[in-house]
Amino acid sequence: MFQIDLNLPQHQYNIFIEAHLLNKISEIISHLFKTKKVIIITDSNVDKNYGSVVKANLIDGGFDVQFIVLKPGEESKSLQSLEYIYNKLLDYSANRDTLLVALGGGVIGDITGFAAATFLRGIKYIQIPTSVIAQVDSSIGGKVAVNLERGKNLIGSFYHPHAVLIDPEVLRSLEDRFFFDGMAEVIKYGLIKDSQLFNNLMSYKTKEEIMANIEYIISTCCLIKKEIVEKDEKDIGERMLLNFGHTIGHGIEAYYEYKTYTHGEAVAIGMYCISGIGEQLGLTAPGCNEKIKAILQQYHLPYKAPVNVDELLEIIKNDKKVFDDGLNFILIKDIGNAYINKVKLQDVSIFLKKGAECNE
């Protein structure tokens, strides 16, 4: 078992990575917590694949187990779903000793964490991520949130899990589109912090090769995020680097009402687009844009999307990284070397229309 310890001034927790870890859930929870009341929040797709396995393992370990099952998809990360969760927690007589378990991808992790942070002013929860994005990124670092109609993650907080349990084998059940969707976040880590990871990703030609190296991939990404979060827990400095491609990506998602592009696909477009802007401004090394295009194509990810730039910019104006004097964009100087650069929205508009080649 690979274990990563994340240490913060007010909180410490472990990230466990091991194939077939789902079969050890009750053992790990028993070691970490005294409670016997567990409420699992998941979606119907994950429940169908892994709900019975997790439930049986916990019941065998002597736990009282209840499930809250949401519809799959970004639409469930809403205030309406949050209210539904609160009412189910009351129905199940949840108290401050109850342990919440987020069993699913990023949507489930985010809304479960927000529910845990706010129900009874805070109860414990753990993450059992079942998507690539959740395993390498969203389950770690304590960002919890729900969406509003006008933008993603506009209501949220920082509330860390008490453990993250990662079983890479569950990724084998993902459809190819959603597997490669998650690999966009892995590519992001290579672009912002680890050129060797990027080069290794370029060398994997099939999904089988990726899965053969998946524990290396996941642990590398988790270690990068651990180091960043320990330096900047509240996302006011270096942690912003993790948003490479996300500002435009979130805009793309909202522009298409979360129906056309997945999160990873939108981030892929955002990474290609912002690196093009960086090259046009002379802030990114020449050739990076083409390297990003090549790896996105290799991983079956889009790099362009037809948009009306003015409409997209109106959406981006609601981004939480917007300040009075501009927007904090993440750029790369070169592969593996990212930095923060404030850009005026007017300049963003000019380069989106004329220089970035992110739309067609």
Side-chain angles (χ1 to χ4, degrees):
M1 181 183 294
F2 196 93
Q3 179 176 323
I4 298 171
D5 302 325
L6 202 154
N7 298 291
L8 299 166
Q10 305 298 324
H11 192 57
Q12 183 276 334
Y13 58 98
N14 307 118
I15 303 162
F16 302 98
I17 306 168
E18 185 179 44
H20 308 293
L21 195 61
L22 285 189
N23 297 322
K24 298 182 178 180
I25 289 174
S26 65
E27 176 186 336
I28 296 172
I29 291 178
S30 295
H31 178 71
L32 294 175
F33 307 101
K34 294 180 179 179
T35 184
K36 285 297 181 181
K37 189 176 186 65
V38 175
I39 298 177
I40 296 168
I41 301 177
T42 188
D43 68 45
S44 56
N45 287 342
V46 176
D47 184 46
K48 180 175 64 177
N49 287 327
Y50 301 109
S52 60
V53 174
V54 172
K55 183 177 183 178
N57 185 267
L58 288 171
I59 289 176
D60 287 346
F63 289 94
D64 172 15
V65 185
Q66 301 285 353
F67 274 75
I68 299 173
V69 182
L70 305 179
K71 293 180 180 179
E74 192 73 30
E75 292 83 359
S76 285
K77 197 169 139 182
S78 66
L79 291 173
Q80 291 77 16
S81 296
L82 189 64
E83 185 177 9
Y84 174 76
I85 290 171
Y86 291 147
N87 282 314
K88 295 299 287 185
L89 292 176
L90 292 171
D91 291 343
Y92 294 150
S93 301
N95 57 49
R96 286 187 173 175
D97 287 329
T98 301
L99 178 68
L100 292 191
V101 176
L103 176 66
V107 169
I108 291 297
D110 279 5
I111 196 168
T112 301
F114 192 85
T118 50
F119 186 75
L120 302 180
R121 294 196 175 96
I123 62 176
K124 293 178 180 179
Y125 85 107
I126 67 171
Q127 294 263 12
I128 305 179
T130 61
S131 69
V132 180
I133 288 178
Q135 290 194 353
V136 303
D137 192 81
S138 62
S139 65
I140 303 159
K143 281 188 178 182
V144 298
V146 293
N147 302 333
L148 295 178
E149 288 185 5
R150 295 173 63 178
K152 288 190 65 169
N153 302 325
L154 293 178
I155 301 178
S157 185
F158 292 90
Y159 193 75
H160 293 273
H162 285 70
V164 180
L165 281 55
I166 298 175
D167 183 348
E169 286 299 306
V170 304
L171 303 181
R172 295 187 185 278
S173 66
L174 295 175
E175 296 177 12
D176 282 356
R177 182 187 182 190
F178 296 104
F179 179 85
F180 288 110
D181 161 73
M183 292 305 295
E185 292 284 355
V186 176
I187 293 166
K188 175 200 75 176
Y189 277 103
L191 288 169
I192 66 169
K193 278 290 184 180
D194 193 330
S195 60
Q196 185 60 57
L197 173 62
F198 182 87
N199 292 334
N200 288 341
L201 292 171
M202 285 292 292
S203 72
Y204 306 145
K205 303 304 181 185
T206 65
K207 185 177 178 179
E208 289 70 28
E209 284 189 64
I210 297 169
M211 284 303 300
N213 293 276
I214 196 65
E215 291 194 33
Y216 152 73
I217 290 169
I218 293 169
S219 61
T220 299
C221 293
C222 290
L223 281 167
I224 292 171
K225 186 154 191 182
K226 158 201 156 66
E227 292 170 1
I228 290 175
V229 170
E230 287 178 342
K231 293 177 183 176
D232 177 25
E233 180 185 359
K234 299 297 185 181
D235 201 16
I236 57 174
E238 186 174 357
R239 188 167 178 173
M240 291 183 186
L241 299 180
L242 296 168
N243 291 316
F244 180 62
H246 282 60
T247 299
I248 293 172
H250 286 164
I252 294 287
E253 285 184 276
Y255 181 90
Y256 283 96
E257 298 178 339
Y258 306 100
K259 296 176 181 177
T260 303
Y261 295 100
T262 64
H263 174 72
E265 290 168 347
V267 167
I269 295 167
M271 291 190 296
Y272 176 75
C273 185
I274 197 62
S275 65
I277 291 174
E279 287 195 28
Q280 290 290 324
L281 289 168
L283 300 173
T284 297
C288 287
N289 199 223
E290 281 302 308
K291 290 180 182 178
I292 292 173
K293 177 181 176 180
I295 198 169
L296 295 179
Q297 290 178 313
Q298 181 173 322
Y299 280 75
H300 312 289
L301 291 162
Y303 64 94
K304 289 185 177 184
V307 296
N308 179 295
V309 172
D310 291 328
E311 292 178 10
L312 179 62
L313 261 293
E314 283 302 311
I315 294 170
I316 290 175
K317 284 180 182 178
N318 289 319
D319 191 283
K320 57 189 176 298
K321 295 178 286 296
V322 173
F323 297 89
D324 289 342
D325 57 344
L327 178 68
N328 280 329
F329 266 109
I330 309 306
L331 300 173
I332 56 170
K333 294 180 181 178
D334 207 338
I335 304 299
N337 186 358
Y339 66 107
I340 303 166
N341 192 80
K342 191 163 285 185
V343 181
K344 293 181 179 179
L345 287 174
Q346 182 180 359
D347 294 333
V348 174
S349 176
I350 292 171
F351 284 104
L352 284 177
K353 290 177 178 178
K354 295 182 180 180
E357 296 184 308
C358 65
N359 64 344
E360 57 184 8

